[in-house]
Amino acid sequence: MIDISTTIAGVKLETCVFNASGPKDETLPDLNIIAKSKSSAVMMKSCTVDPREGNPHPRYVDLQYGTFNSMGLPNLGYKSYVKFSKIIDEKYQKPVIASICGMTIEDNIKIFRAFNDTPVKFIELNPGSPNTIGKPIIGYDTKAMDKLLNAVSMVSKKPFGVKLPPYFDLVHFEEMAKVIKKYPVKFVTCVNAFGNALVIDYKKEQVLIKPKGGLGGLGGSYIKYNSLANVRKFYQLFENKIEVIGVGGVYTGIDAFEYILAGASAVQVGSAYMQKGPPVFKKIQDELTKIMKSKSYEKISAFRGKLKTLD
Ligand code: RRO
C-alpha cells in the first residue's frame, strides 16, 4: 500500500496534494467544489478586511504552459471566509486553510484574530502577491517581513506559514530564512506567481490584460524550475524544522515527485486546477502513487529532500 499522506503544521493530510490559494476558491460554491474533490485540504482565497472587486477586466488568461493574472485580490472580505470555514468544516471534515493578505499590519492582526475562533487547521499568510496596484511585495522587504511576522506571531492561536514570492539570489534566501526562523512559522509555501511578467499578442501588437499596462503574475510550467530551486534552498536552510510546500507548475505526478525530491512536504495545485478543474487532484495523486510504486517507495518521507547532486 503506497501512502502519500503528509503532515503540515502538525495537521495530517490524507494526501500531499491540495489546491493553491487563488484559483476558483473565492466563493462558497467554489469551496464546496474543492471540498468534494480529492484535494486533501480546502485552501481559501487570500482575504482582506474589506471585500474587494479586484482589478479591471481582462485580468486573467490561460497560456499554453501556464497562467497569467492580475486579479488584484478580489475577495469577499475576511468575515465571509470565517463563515465559510465553519460551513465547510461541518459538512466535509476536511482541513480548511485560510489565506490572509491584509493591506496593513493592523489589518493582518485583525484577520488573524478573527480566525482564532474558527475551525481552520492552519493559516497561510500571503505577503507575496504581485498584483495589488500601488503596494510593494512585502516578501521582498526583510524588515517589513520581520515586523509583520512579529505582529502576527503575537496574536495567532493557529499554526501558520508564509507564502513567499520567488527569489533568484542566494543571499535573498538566506536573509529571508533568517527572519522566518525568528518566529513560530510552521511552513513556507514556494512560490507565489512571478510578478510583473509581460505577455504580448504579437498579431494585435497588444498586451493581454488590462491592469498595470499589461504586467501580471506568471504561473504554471513556466515557473517550475525556479520554484523547485526555491523549495530546495529553503528545505536546506530550514533543516527539517520548518516544512516547505511546493507550488508552481504541478500538473502531473512527475511534477509532484520532483517537488518532494527537492524537499517539499506537500504540493499545491494552482494553474492546473484553474485549467483542468477538480479531476486534476486525483490524476496527480494517482500518477505520483504509480511513480512511487515503480521506485518501491512506500511513503513520501522515503525520498523527500533526497535529491542527488553530481559532486
Ligand atoms: O489576486 C491576485 O491578483 C493574486 C494574488 Br492575491 C496572489 O497572491 N498571487 C497572484 O498571482 N494573484
Side-chain angles (χ1 to χ4, degrees):
M1 190 57 192
I2 312 282
D3 176 6
I4 59 166
S5 70
T6 193
T7 301
I8 300 290
V11 178
K12 172 96 191 266
L13 301 178
E14 286 302 313
T15 82
C16 58
V17 184
F18 59 98
N19 72 300
S21 184
K24 296 186 177 148
D25 57 0
E26 190 186 333
T27 66
L28 188 56
D30 287 340
L31 298 172
N32 269 299
I33 291 169
I34 296 165
K36 283 183 193 149
S37 78
K38 290 281 181 187
S39 176
S40 64
V42 182
M43 172 70 85
M44 302 191 287
K45 174 69 183 169
S46 291
C47 63
T48 50
V49 167
D50 297 314
R52 288 169 57 90
E53 291 207 346
N55 292 339
H57 295 257
R59 59 191 190 182
Y60 172 85
V61 283
D62 283 313
L63 303 175
Q64 192 176 0
Y65 299 111
T67 56
F68 186 50
N69 89 87
S70 182
M71 304 300 287
L73 205 33
N75 76 94
L76 303 171
Y78 76 102
K79 286 182 185 159
S80 292
Y81 299 98
V82 163
K83 264 189 233 150
F84 296 167
S85 70
K86 293 173 185 168
I87 296 168
I88 296 288
D89 180 72
E90 214 163 273
K91 211 162 148 192
Y92 300 98
Q93 285 95 43
K94 199 184 251 194
V96 183
I97 310 167
S99 170
I100 298 182
C101 188
M103 290 287 148
T104 61
I105 291 208
E106 291 67 36
D107 284 4
N108 282 302
I109 289 173
K110 191 177 206 173
I111 305 173
F112 265 85
R113 278 211 173 106
F115 277 106
N116 280 342
D117 300 318
T118 66
V120 302
K121 292 290 182 292
F122 53 86
I123 290 170
E124 189 177 80
L125 173 64
N126 179 12
S129 173
N131 298 329
T132 318
I133 294 168
K135 291 270 178 191
I137 298 174
I138 304 295
Y140 285 141
D141 179 339
T142 40
K143 275 196 189 134
M145 276 290 279
D146 202 328
K147 269 193 182 164
L148 176 60
L149 292 177
N150 185 53
V152 301
S153 299
M154 310 257 265
V155 298
S156 188
K157 290 188 191 143
K158 298 282 180 185
F160 72 93
V162 193
K163 183 162 181 180
L164 296 170
Y167 304 101
F168 302 93
D169 185 335
L170 296 187
V171 172
H172 294 159
F173 291 108
E174 282 159 25
E175 285 173 355
M176 193 47 66
K178 207 168 146 192
V179 172
I180 288 169
K181 279 184 192 169
K182 287 170 65 180
Y183 300 102
V185 174
K186 298 291 185 218
F187 65 91
V188 294
T189 303
C190 300
V191 294
N192 209 316
F194 283 27
N196 299 308
L198 178 61
V199 185
I200 293 173
D201 179 336
Y202 87 96
K203 285 183 190 149
K204 290 190 189 158
E205 303 179 18
Q206 206 174 38
V207 299
L208 295 184
I209 58 173
K210 190 161 178 184
K212 285 199 199 174
L215 302 190
L218 190 63
S221 302
Y222 301 106
I223 69 168
K224 189 180 91 169
Y225 299 111
N226 288 90
S227 184
L228 278 168
N230 277 250
V231 166
R232 187 72 185 151
K233 284 316 297 176
F234 282 113
Y235 173 75
Q236 290 169 332
L237 288 163
F238 290 143
E239 299 168 328
N240 277 323
K241 292 187 188 94
I242 296 174
E243 287 138 10
V244 183
I245 300 174
V247 55
V250 180
Y251 285 83
T252 67
I254 296 176
D255 298 323
F257 186 83
E258 288 178 3
Y259 271 105
I260 297 163
L261 204 55
S265 292
V267 295
Q268 296 177 351
V269 185
S271 294
Y273 179 56
M274 195 69 193
Q275 295 173 327
K276 316 263 181 214
V280 79
F281 299 110
K282 183 173 185 308
K283 175 188 134 29
I284 295 166
Q285 289 158 4
D286 288 349
E287 289 171 0
L288 174 62
T289 305
K290 234 182 181 174
I291 295 167
M292 287 171 60
K293 198 171 175 196
S294 73
K295 289 173 176 277
S296 302
Y297 291 131
E298 289 182 356
K299 48 190 184 177
I300 68 168
S301 59
F303 63 99
R304 185 168 58 83
K306 295 193 176 148
L307 180 66
K308 290 179 240 172
T309 55
L310 300 180
D311 42 39

